[in-house]
Amino acid sequence: MKVVALDDTGSPLARIGRAGGRGSALAFAYAARWQTAAPAVRERAGAGPGACAPRSGPLSARWHPRGRWGRGQRRRGRARGGPGCGRRGGWPGLQAGRAPDGRGSPLSGRSSCASPGGRPVGAAEAKDRPTDTPPAPAQTGIMTVPKEMPEKWARAGAPPSWSRKKPSWGTEEERRARANDREYNEKFQYASNCIKTSKYNILTFLPVNLFEQFQEVANTYFLFLLILQLIPQISSLSWFTTIVPLVLVLTITAVKDATDDYFRHKSDNQVNNRQSQVLIHGILQQEQWMNVCVGDIIKLENNQFVAADLLLLSSSEPHGLCYIETAELDGETNMKVRQAIPVTSELGDISKLAKFDGEVICEPPNNKLDKFGGTLYWKGNKFPLSNQNMLLRGCVLRNTEWCFGLVIFAGPDTKLMQNSGRTKFKRTSIDRLMNTLVLWIFGFLVCMGVILAIGNAIWEHEVGTRFQVYLPWDEAVDSAFFSGFLSFWSYIIILNTVVPISLYVSVEVIRLGHSYFINWDKKMFCMKKRTPAEARTTTLNEELGQVEYIFSDKTGTLTQNIMVFNKCSINGRSYGDVFDVLGHKAELGERPEPVNFSFNPLADKKFLFWDPTLLEAVKIGDPHTQEFFRLLSLCHTVMSEEKSEGELYYKAQSPDEGALVTAARNFGFVFRSRTPKTITVHEMGTAITYQLLAILDFNNIRKRMSVIVRNPEGKIRLYCKGADTLLLDRLHHSTRELLHTTTDHLNEYAGEGLRTLVLAYKDLDEEYYEEWAERRLQASLAQDSREDRLASVYEEVESDMMLLGATAIEDKLQQGVPETIALLTLANIKIWVLTGDKQETAVNIGYSCKMLTDDMTEVFIVTGHTVLEVREELRKAREKMTDSSQAVGNGLAYQEKLSSSKLTSVLEAVAGEYALVINGHSLAHALEADMELEFLETACACKAVICCRVTPLQKAQVVELVKKYKKAVTLAIGDGANDVSMIKTAHIGVGISGQEGIQAVLASDYSFSQFKFLQRLLLVHGRWSYLRMCKFLCYFFYKNFAFTMVHFWFGFFCGFSAQTVYDQYFITLYNIVYTSLPVLAMGVFDQDVPEHRSMEYPKLYEPGQLNLLFNKREFFICIAQGIYTSVLMFFIPYGVFAEATRDDGTQLADYQSFAVTVATSLVIVVSVQIGLDTGYWTAINHFFIWGSLAVYFAILFAMHSDGLFDMFPNQFRFVGNAQNTLAQPTVWLTIVLTTVVCIMPVVAFRFLKLNLKPDLSDTVRYTQLVRKKQKAQHRCLRRVGRTGSRRSGYAFSHQEGFGELIMSGKNMRLSSLALSSFTTRSSSSWIESLRRKKSDSASSPGGGGPDKPLKG
């Protein structure tokens, strides 16, 4: 036997010699085992500490477990457990949910006013109660809530004494609140007014956050590996190689989550610390919102938010009236009226309120915004309470100087918070897929470990017994089987790099980078509001590229809720368009200066109108034109306020009424004031007072309103305005010719998306009016069928009217809404509008923003009030769609659609375009368990879905329904508190920082200021994020399988000894240094096409929806490529080294030279591969890729240098190995051959695919290259007209009008605040070029089609 200790250069290289044949498996096995054997073993074998393996095969020694298991002697000698080991965790004295002092946590939901003991209240406290108030209920247990509770309270002579359970421990059966009696109310332990939207507190953060993080299978997997590496008998790698990156990942994620939750806490504190005036011991005191208790009396002032759900007691207005804005609750920005009950409306004095000791018994907390039932017991009497007496949290007091209210529900019990969903832990579909893949990889890892363990057991039994002299078994190893068992766990540790912990670090870094790109995007910055886009989470970016359903609020999201008087038709002539000298209609940018209203000192300076001929007609005294504006100034329920001479402010029940009255004001018919019986109008500067005889109010059935007035000459006239569908049938036959002309104008207006109203009048003689007024009085006094009788009387007088003309109002959509919806529709994204507004409003907005078009096959309207009616309407809709599809079922287009679409039902391949409109009461039935699938199938077959009059909870239910059954990525977008549940339920929540507060923004994942930014968020940032993440994951799995599988093949040549091919430092640095930065650069910066191409070709978005770029199939392709690379990476150098020699003729094949060659080949191959994968090169990509290669060689030569050997001789023993190996031409030829063979199949496949079956992105890139030197052509955007489907402006009257209230005189007052001013906006234009740029034959909405009636 010949032992060679040194090579020719003095380096202690372990060279493999001949053993009956060069490069035999036995020689490799022996060399590997000898290299890792303990020094003492080698000395016993007759070699020095630096000796190499003997060249003789039969005498090669068996590797001792002490060397094989990684310095077991030193591990055994190490002291067990550090300081603190064995200590049981936990803070002394702390229990779940309690602070160290034993009191409830500040965020536990307990009232700050609650009694310390929380004792139950029983009959013993009756002595503390005044005789005119009801007894407190005994808390004996849970009772079933009696049906129809409010009705029972109203019938009861005394308040009920049902048992109830503590709200804090169980379901609350009823709510009792006594005014000015905190001690009494504390006994019930009601929730405090403190709100909590955060997920953690100081005590729960660590356990809850770690629990959430270990829901990631990979984190649990790495924790398991860490435990294995702590066992010295099986660990061949240091434990710090796993624990450091694992702790790093957990820490980074925890810091990010803590930061997000900090801002939630900050927002909560900001709300909870708002100041409110509370009446305490007869004195108004400033209290924080969170200290307000049930039973407190609060004073609110104008423009203040309501702190809790209050019973209105009194106000500064006559008869206890007050005006509120409920945008935070239902999204409606029009004002609503609330009124105190008469018995408390006079309690405006502090001293009277301090003596008020009434008790309210009402329903328990619930989420019904439009219903409330309860009874007030005071002075021995009972008074019924309804929703009209309540001020809900989130509302804003408007046009009312002050009011007082009694707190009924506080904090989490308020209806606003009851409608807010819980903060949910959102994870992307890629995260969920990753968890599955990690399990599969772990199973694959176990299989490899079992194979190699079996091989080890066989090798030890058949071959290893020959080397007992050199490498005897450890004392713990008594058989080949047990050796195989230990080898299994060793290989589990070695092969774990198929899923390194650095994968998750890199994913978080990439997501963080994508989030910053969104925050920094100047094209999503709103200059008007100085508001940038904000990614409020970093975990959902790639899912922005997979959205299939968008659920949008209407008010404030699609619209600005600003109405503008745009056009009108008077006596057969249309006004509003401006024509040039050639008679062509002028576009907006070509229009002259707006009409000058300087002749009118009372004109609204913000009102703009472009057609001067209308003002000329008014000035010359045209009777029809003046009568037109006279009607607009009289027929309404607007309230006027004049703070100073000439400064008029209108309070309108709906924005459209305000727009019409403002238009009349500017054209010289100024509504100045009103009393219960008069209306004063300044007509062309002359004040005229009309006697108001009757208001025939608006409701959803009549869809019109009328007033009957007597002018100063004594002439009685009825003025009416309403929906054309109803009013045109009530005109006198003499107006037939005028009717045809006006109808044409209405069609023209409707084609432009304007809201229309028809105006008419009728002269009444005195005798007829007196008879009709008597019949109206009798109908209003009827005890039964009062509404029907009044409707019949109104119907009688509103007939044979004379047509005056029509108005056209533009609802101010947010800028770019139609274009955005068109673009998203072309991207195969379905948009559902979920709004609290009424049906007409939603349909009108649907047409305005091009969701609904007249070239649709049909628009289904579901309005059933019962389950059977709704089911039947849905069935008919499905039948019509199915029949239409069968009619063209043999057609090519239908077959293509059926084959190419991702369908869950045949209905989704219907021919034609359909839309569905469904009311809230019908939706309640449709969402029931036995009908939800029918509703979903019908809705998903439609191109557009609009749900009207829905509650916040119903919004969330609709989103949850789609999530549950469609398995599609959903996005919810809204701007108000009524959208919070929907935003939290959807996979992605987007908040618009608009006019309705910041509740939606605080609950959202992303926020910006305008709806139009959604197209850029999805089509640019979302698509890029998805593309980058998928390419990153594919490459990451490829490079790590190529890296790790080499160990598997090497196991067959090293006696299955769990010896690694690479140096331990290369294993540590491979994923951290050598290959981390290039893949990060690709994951952060890569693009397939530029951003403007992403917007031009929305079909590029579809791969994300279909999940084509990273799925199980793509994963297996990456794994196969990685395994293929690993095979070549190992066997090509192995085959070359078997016969290769150095320049001097000596043997080249030794273990360390082989390791250097394989490692160098691997780094070069994966660097070339990422160069092929990179689609968008930046300076950073070049720097990282070539820099990583340079760093690899620098570290490689450093580790084999004399300097490190001198400092750490036991760690860096192979001095000069890298220099000597890489100096050999054979080695470089081997590296080049390996690289070419690994990369060429990939290049060939991609070349063939690009030429034979290119993707859309490939085509776009090719087109871009062809056009690169061509000058970009500017394409003008023009608006496409549409005819048909006239829509009433009364769609914006959200409830019955104030006519009865006005006539009663209860709301007359002098002081109020101004309404929001009306601003103008450029007309939205339709992007015609979108259709020409589509990559396939998908159709999009067009204009100019015939009228399509709405089908019910």
Side-chain angles (χ1 to χ4, degrees):
M1 165 176 129
K2 181 180 180 182
V3 178
V4 181
L6 299 174
D7 68 354
D8 298 335
T9 62
S11 174
L13 301 177
R15 303 215 316 262
I16 301 174
R18 299 174 181 268
R22 286 194 185 95
S24 67
L26 184 60
F28 256 113
Y30 175 45
R33 291 168 178 274
W34 179 265
Q35 188 63 49
T36 55
V41 175
R42 287 185 286 181
E43 289 176 5
R44 288 200 304 270
C52 301
R55 300 174 64 93
S56 170
L59 298 178
S60 56
R62 179 181 178 276
W63 184 36
H64 196 278
R66 289 179 181 173
R68 170 175 157 201
W69 306 135
R71 299 177 300 279
Q73 293 276 11
R74 283 182 290 167
R75 289 183 180 275
R76 292 188 189 93
R78 188 177 300 159
R80 301 281 180 163
C85 290
R87 179 189 300 172
R88 304 189 65 173
W91 293 93
L94 287 187
Q95 298 176 2
R98 300 191 68 82
D101 58 358
R103 295 185 301 224
S105 168
L107 298 178
S108 64
R110 295 293 179 88
S111 171
S112 58
C113 308
S115 57
R119 55 194 178 91
V121 180
E125 277 97 4
K127 60 183 180 180
D128 300 328
R129 187 182 303 109
T131 56
D132 57 354
T133 55
Q139 296 180 335
T140 57
I142 300 176
M143 297 289 289
T144 303
V145 181
K147 295 181 179 180
E148 307 295 336
M149 273 198 296
E151 287 75 3
K152 287 199 174 188
W153 298 336
R155 291 193 301 268
S161 57
W162 303 318
S163 298
R164 65 187 294 280
K165 192 169 182 178
K166 294 181 183 179
S168 55
W169 288 5
T171 303
E172 185 176 349
E173 304 294 343
E174 65 175 359
R175 172 58 58 104
R176 288 172 172 261
R178 185 185 298 171
N180 295 314
D181 194 345
R182 281 195 172 188
E183 183 179 355
Y184 172 77
N185 297 318
E186 284 174 0
K187 299 173 183 176
F188 299 101
Q189 297 187 2
Y190 294 131
S192 73
N193 204 37
C194 179
I195 64 166
K196 175 187 175 185
T197 60
S198 56
K199 294 165 60 177
Y200 317 107
N201 58 38
I202 294 177
L203 296 179
T204 63
F205 173 74
L206 194 60
V208 173
N209 188 262
L210 286 178
F211 174 76
E212 289 178 348
Q213 292 199 57
F214 280 111
Q215 284 184 322
E216 295 283 351
V217 177
N219 288 341
T220 307
Y221 165 68
F222 289 118
L223 181 63
F224 172 71
L225 288 178
L226 175 61
I227 295 173
L228 288 181
Q229 284 185 291
L230 295 177
I231 303 175
Q233 283 77 16
I234 62 175
S235 177
S236 56
L237 294 174
S238 300
W239 59 271
F240 63 83
T241 60
T242 298
I243 193 171
V244 171
L246 177 60
V247 171
L248 182 64
V249 170
L250 296 178
T251 302
I252 291 174
T253 306
V255 169
K256 177 180 64 67
D257 292 342
T259 303
D260 292 343
D261 209 56
Y262 166 76
F263 287 110
R264 295 192 192 100
H265 274 288
K266 190 175 180 180
S267 172
D268 291 345
N269 291 335
Q270 182 181 358
V271 173
N272 291 330
N273 290 319
R274 286 178 180 172
Q275 295 295 311
S276 183
Q277 299 182 66
V278 182
L279 186 63
I280 301 177
H281 304 304
I283 302 173
L284 278 177
Q285 300 181 12
Q286 291 289 335
E287 282 282 355
Q288 295 175 330
W289 274 24
M290 63 181 179
N291 295 329
V292 171
C293 300
V294 173
D296 286 351
I297 293 179
I298 293 179
K299 181 181 180 181
L300 294 176
E301 295 180 347
N302 195 31
N303 291 329
Q304 281 189 347
F305 277 94
V306 179
D309 288 357
L310 309 177
L311 171 65
L312 179 60
L313 298 178
S314 60
S315 75
S316 60
E317 306 303 301
H319 308 283
L321 290 171
C322 75
Y323 300 89
I324 59 170
E325 186 180 280
T326 60
E328 288 281 356
L329 288 169
D330 54 21
E332 297 180 4
T333 54
N334 59 298
M335 285 185 297
K336 295 181 173 62
V337 177
R338 294 293 183 263
Q339 186 173 13
I341 58 176
V343 71
T344 65
S345 61
E346 302 302 325
L347 298 178
D349 185 69
I350 298 294
S351 59
K352 294 180 180 179
L353 286 167
K355 297 177 182 177
F356 177 66
D357 59 353
E359 182 168 1
V360 174
I361 300 181
C362 64
E363 61 190 24
N366 59 71
N367 56 22
K368 297 177 181 177
L369 294 174
D370 57 346
K371 293 182 179 179
F372 177 81
T375 306
L376 170 65
Y377 294 89
W378 190 38
K379 296 182 178 178
N381 298 315
K382 58 184 180 64
F383 307 94
L385 305 175
S386 69
N387 200 50
Q388 285 299 111
N389 310 125
M390 295 295 294
L391 304 179
L392 303 184
R393 178 173 181 146
C395 298
V396 181
L397 191 67
R398 299 292 192 197
N399 305 312
T400 307
E401 290 185 7
W402 54 263
C403 72
F404 286 94
L406 174 66
V407 178
I408 305 297
F409 301 119
D413 292 341
T414 59
K415 293 184 183 289
L416 173 66
M417 299 304 294
Q418 290 280 312
N419 273 283
S420 298
R422 294 186 59 190
T423 301
K424 296 183 178 179
F425 181 61
K426 295 184 178 181
R427 299 162 63 204
T428 67
S429 57
I430 287 184
D431 283 337
R432 293 188 290 272
L433 176 61
M434 284 284 294
N435 281 347
T436 302
L437 296 181
V438 167
L439 289 176
W440 289 2
I441 291 174
F442 184 74
F444 179 68
L445 184 62
V446 170
C447 291
M448 289 194 296
V450 169
I451 293 172
L452 294 171
I454 294 174
N456 176 267
I458 295 174
W459 194 92
E460 292 286 3
H461 184 268
E462 299 294 333
V463 182
T465 53
R466 305 175 187 175
F467 309 112
Q468 289 286 343
V469 176
Y470 294 99
L471 295 173
W473 281 345
D474 191 38
E475 296 178 358
V477 180
D478 55 0
S479 66
F481 173 80
F482 189 67
S483 175
F485 174 77
L486 295 179
S487 180
F488 168 79
W489 294 109
S490 296
Y491 271 113
I492 291 294
I493 295 173
I494 291 174
L495 300 176
N496 82 84
T497 50
V498 286
V499 187
I501 192 72
S502 60
L503 169 65
Y504 292 89
V505 178
S506 302
V507 166
E508 292 300 320
V509 171
I510 290 173
R511 285 173 171 169
L512 184 64
H514 295 169
S515 298
Y516 278 116
F517 287 155
I518 294 173
N519 296 343
W520 293 338
D521 192 343
K522 293 183 179 179
K523 294 182 180 179
M524 295 174 66
F525 180 83
C526 179
M527 293 298 297
K528 183 178 179 181
K529 299 179 181 177
R530 309 294 300 172
T531 304
E534 181 183 6
R536 297 174 55 81
T537 180
T538 60
T539 58
L540 303 175
N541 293 325
E542 64 269 16
E543 201 146 64
L544 289 171
Q546 298 179 276
V547 174
E548 291 186 57
Y549 289 87
I550 292 177
F551 300 91
S552 174
D553 179 39
K554 180 195 73 66
T555 307
T557 303
L558 299 179
T559 71
Q560 302 177 43
N561 207 30
I562 299 175
M563 255 48 72
V564 175
F565 182 81
N566 192 288
K567 296 181 181 181
C568 63
S569 172
I570 304 174
N571 196 34
R573 179 176 178 180
S574 179
Y575 297 93
D577 289 321
V578 181
F579 298 90
D580 58 22
V581 293
L582 299 177
H584 299 141
K585 186 182 296 186
E587 296 295 333
L588 184 61
E590 303 168 353
R591 291 179 179 178
E593 291 296 319
V595 175
N596 185 2
F597 294 105
S598 59
F599 79 98
N600 182 2
L602 297 176
D604 185 347
K605 294 180 177 57
K606 298 177 181 177
F607 178 84
L608 296 178
F609 196 75
W610 304 95
D611 187 357
T613 59
L614 181 56
L615 181 58
E616 293 171 4
V618 174
K619 287 183 176 181
I620 64 176
D622 179 70
H624 295 99
T625 305
Q626 292 199 351
E627 194 68 14
F628 179 90
F629 286 111
R630 184 177 292 114
L631 184 151
L632 293 181
S633 66
L634 293 172
C635 186
H636 56 79
T637 57
V638 173
M639 303 297 296
S640 175
E641 175 191 0
E642 190 168 359
K643 285 190 173 181
S644 61
E645 183 64 28
E647 289 189 30
L648 284 175
Y649 298 98
Y650 290 150
K651 296 184 303 178
Q653 179 192 6
S654 58
D656 66 304
E657 279 212 323
L660 293 175
V661 176
T662 301
R665 167 186 175 179
N666 275 56
F667 282 98
F669 289 76
V670 184
F671 165 63
R672 291 298 293 264
S673 63
R674 76 186 324 143
T675 69
K677 298 300 181 184
T678 64
I679 297 178
T680 301
V681 178
H682 279 216
E683 298 183 0
M684 303 304 291
T686 303
I688 300 177
T689 300
Y690 292 85
Q691 184 181 354
L692 181 60
L693 302 178
I695 294 180
L696 285 58
D697 216 347
F698 169 89
N699 62 36
N700 290 332
I701 300 174
R702 286 167 39 76
K703 297 182 180 178
R704 61 190 183 277
M705 80 159 289
S706 301
V707 295
I708 301 176
V709 298
R710 179 184 281 117
N711 63 17
E713 290 77 25
K715 188 177 181 179
I716 300 176
R717 177 167 285 187
L718 175 142
Y719 291 109
C720 181
K721 65 180 181 184
D724 46 51
T725 53
L726 294 172
L727 209 59
L728 294 179
D729 296 333
R730 291 166 173 77
L731 299 178
H732 195 272
H733 61 82
S734 63
T735 62
R736 182 169 300 175
E737 183 176 347
L738 178 59
L739 171 61
H740 293 319
T741 305
T742 305
T743 300
D744 292 339
H745 292 160
L746 288 169
N747 289 334
E748 179 186 343
Y749 300 156
E752 297 175 6
L754 304 178
R755 263 137 212 79
T756 57
L757 279 179
V758 174
L759 310 185
Y761 70 95
K762 178 181 180 180
D763 289 323
L764 306 176
D765 57 48
E766 190 75 33
E767 183 179 354
Y768 174 79
Y769 170 73
E770 294 295 340
E771 293 177 0
W772 178 85
E774 182 61 28
R775 290 195 300 273
R776 176 174 177 266
L777 178 61
Q778 296 301 322
S780 64
L781 296 176
Q783 295 297 320
D784 55 336
S785 304
R786 177 178 178 268
E787 298 297 331
D788 294 337
R789 295 189 183 189
L790 279 174
S792 177
V793 174
Y794 292 168
E795 190 88 10
E796 174 192 339
V797 73
E798 293 172 331
S799 61
D800 293 332
M801 293 182 288
M802 303 302 292
L803 179 62
L804 260 179
T807 62
I809 295 177
E810 179 186 8
D811 177 28
K812 300 294 288 184
L813 288 174
Q814 286 195 20
Q815 185 180 3
V817 167
E819 294 87 346
T820 300
I821 290 179
L823 210 59
L824 295 177
T825 302
L826 292 177
N828 199 32
I829 298 175
K830 293 187 176 181
I831 301 177
W832 294 20
V833 173
L834 311 178
T835 176
D837 288 340
K838 59 187 298 185
Q839 176 183 309
E840 291 86 349
T841 305
V843 171
N844 290 338
I845 293 298
Y847 278 104
S848 297
C849 64
K850 310 298 183 185
M851 280 183 63
L852 305 179
T853 60
D854 282 318
D855 55 359
M856 281 184 163
T857 309
E858 192 162 353
V859 178
F860 302 108
I861 297 183
V862 179
T863 58
H865 287 78
T866 66
V867 174
L868 294 178
E869 289 177 359
V870 175
R871 191 186 300 274
E872 181 64 18
E873 291 177 1
L874 292 175
R875 184 188 63 79
K876 289 181 178 178
R878 289 196 303 275
E879 286 180 354
K880 289 184 179 180
M881 288 187 283
T882 305
D883 293 343
S884 175
S885 299
Q886 290 174 350
V888 295
N890 296 325
L892 178 62
Y894 177 73
Q895 292 298 328
E896 288 180 353
K897 190 172 183 179
L898 185 64
S899 61
S900 64
S901 300
K902 185 181 71 173
L903 306 177
T904 56
S905 73
V906 179
L907 262 184
E908 291 192 42
V910 296
E913 294 181 346
Y914 298 88
L916 177 69
V917 180
I918 184 169
N919 273 325
H921 51 76
S922 303
L923 184 63
H925 297 304
L927 291 176
E928 292 181 0
D930 59 341
M931 203 191 305
E932 59 182 12
L933 283 176
E934 297 178 43
F935 165 67
L936 184 64
E937 185 180 17
T938 307
C940 289
C942 297
K943 181 181 176 182
V945 178
I946 299 177
C947 302
C948 326
R949 283 298 185 196
V950 294
T951 66
L953 195 60
Q954 282 180 322
K955 291 183 179 184
Q957 289 173 341
V958 172
V959 176
E960 187 63 42
L961 181 65
V962 175
K963 284 178 60 180
K964 179 179 178 182
Y965 291 107
K966 299 303 294 182
K967 307 300 181 185
V969 177
T970 59
L971 181 146
I973 180 169
D975 70 324
N978 58 318
D979 304 314
V980 168
S981 291
M982 172 176 71
I983 286 172
K984 289 183 176 180
T985 302
H987 292 99
I988 303 168
V990 177
I992 290 186
S993 50
Q995 305 297 325
E996 300 185 18
I998 59 171
Q999 291 286 344
V1001 171
L1002 294 177
S1004 66
D1005 305 305
Y1006 301 89
S1007 67
F1008 41 73
S1009 60
Q1010 296 185 42
F1011 182 84
K1012 68 177 181 179
F1013 295 147
L1014 184 62
Q1015 60 178 312
R1016 186 168 178 83
L1017 181 70
L1018 298 184
L1019 301 185
V1020 178
H1021 292 287
R1023 201 182 70 80
W1024 278 352
S1025 294
Y1026 174 72
L1027 169 75
R1028 292 162 176 166
M1029 186 59 69
C1030 292
K1031 292 181 72 172
F1032 164 79
L1033 292 173
C1034 289
Y1035 175 78
F1036 210 98
F1037 283 119
Y1038 152 76
K1039 77 179 182 68
N1040 280 284
F1041 265 80
F1043 165 67
T1044 305
M1045 288 299 293
V1046 173
H1047 293 304
F1048 180 77
W1049 311 124
F1050 185 58
F1052 291 90
F1053 297 89
C1054 68
F1056 307 96
S1057 62
Q1059 170 64 26
T1060 59
V1061 178
Y1062 315 109
D1063 180 85
Q1064 177 173 328
Y1065 297 100
F1066 178 82
I1067 295 175
T1068 304
L1069 297 176
Y1070 176 75
N1071 280 303
I1072 297 177
V1073 177
Y1074 300 151
T1075 62
S1076 61
L1077 294 181
V1079 71
L1080 276 179
M1082 183 182 71
V1084 173
F1085 299 108
D1086 202 45
Q1087 303 173 15
D1088 55 346
V1089 297
E1091 59 183 66
H1092 63 279
R1093 299 296 181 190
S1094 296
M1095 306 284 279
E1096 285 182 14
Y1097 299 93
K1099 284 291 180 183
L1100 288 168
Y1101 191 78
E1102 288 192 358
Q1105 296 171 322
L1106 302 175
N1107 203 23
L1108 297 180
L1109 300 185
F1110 186 75
N1111 49 40
K1112 294 173 184 176
R1113 176 178 175 273
E1114 292 296 321
F1115 169 74
F1116 284 119
I1117 291 175
C1118 298
I1119 298 310
Q1121 183 186 356
I1123 294 175
Y1124 163 78
T1125 302
S1126 71
V1127 170
L1128 298 177
M1129 199 79 63
F1130 177 79
F1131 285 101
I1132 289 179
Y1134 177 80
V1136 171
F1137 273 47
E1139 301 292 339
T1141 60
R1142 297 178 182 272
D1143 294 338
D1144 58 0
T1146 58
Q1147 178 66 38
L1148 176 64
D1150 64 70
Y1151 171 70
Q1152 278 299 312
S1153 296
F1154 179 77
V1156 169
T1157 303
V1158 174
T1160 305
S1161 300
L1162 175 65
V1163 173
I1164 293 176
V1165 166
V1166 297
S1167 297
V1168 173
Q1169 180 66 47
I1170 199 169
L1172 293 175
D1173 289 344
T1174 301
Y1176 182 74
W1177 285 86
T1178 66
I1180 297 177
N1181 293 83
H1182 283 289
F1183 178 75
F1184 282 173
I1185 291 176
W1186 314 126
S1188 295
L1189 277 173
V1191 168
Y1192 164 72
F1193 284 108
I1195 294 178
L1196 177 66
F1197 290 129
M1199 286 195 303
H1200 294 83
S1201 65
D1202 295 333
L1204 281 181
F1205 175 75
D1206 293 337
M1207 290 185 290
F1208 308 102
N1210 292 328
Q1211 299 294 326
F1212 303 97
R1213 296 185 294 270
F1214 306 104
V1215 180
N1217 178 68
Q1219 293 86 337
N1220 290 333
T1221 302
L1222 296 179
Q1224 303 298 318
T1226 304
V1227 172
W1228 281 108
L1229 289 173
T1230 303
I1231 293 172
V1232 171
L1233 176 64
T1234 304
T1235 303
V1236 171
V1237 175
C1238 288
I1239 296 299
M1240 281 308 296
V1242 179
V1243 175
F1245 173 78
R1246 294 188 181 182
F1247 177 80
L1248 292 175
K1249 180 178 179 296
L1250 189 64
N1251 285 273
L1252 301 179
K1253 194 177 179 182
D1255 295 330
L1256 178 59
S1257 59
D1258 299 328
T1259 306
V1260 173
R1261 281 199 301 272
Y1262 175 75
T1263 305
Q1264 182 182 355
L1265 290 174
V1266 171
R1267 298 178 179 177
K1268 190 172 182 180
K1269 296 184 180 180
Q1270 296 179 356
K1271 188 176 181 180
Q1273 298 179 355
H1274 177 70
R1275 296 180 176 177
C1276 298
L1277 304 180
R1278 65 182 182 86
R1279 190 165 182 159
V1280 177
R1282 184 182 63 81
T1283 60
S1285 296
R1286 298 190 302 276
R1287 299 179 299 285
S1288 167
Y1290 263 122
F1292 291 86
S1293 295
H1294 300 293
Q1295 60 187 16
E1296 290 198 17
F1298 297 157
E1300 185 176 348
L1301 193 61
I1302 290 173
M1303 295 296 289
S1304 70
K1306 291 182 177 180
N1307 65 334
M1308 296 304 151
R1309 54 187 289 278
L1310 294 177
S1311 60
S1312 67
L1313 288 186
L1315 293 175
S1316 300
S1317 60
F1318 298 103
T1319 57
T1320 58
R1321 177 183 63 85
S1322 303
S1323 299
S1324 299
S1325 57
W1326 182 247
I1327 303 183
E1328 190 68 29
S1329 61
L1330 287 175
R1331 299 190 182 92
R1332 297 195 298 269
K1333 293 175 182 175
K1334 291 191 302 177
S1335 60
D1336 58 13
S1337 59
S1339 61
S1340 67
D1347 240 3
K1348 295 293 188 300
L1350 301 181
K1351 299 295 182 181

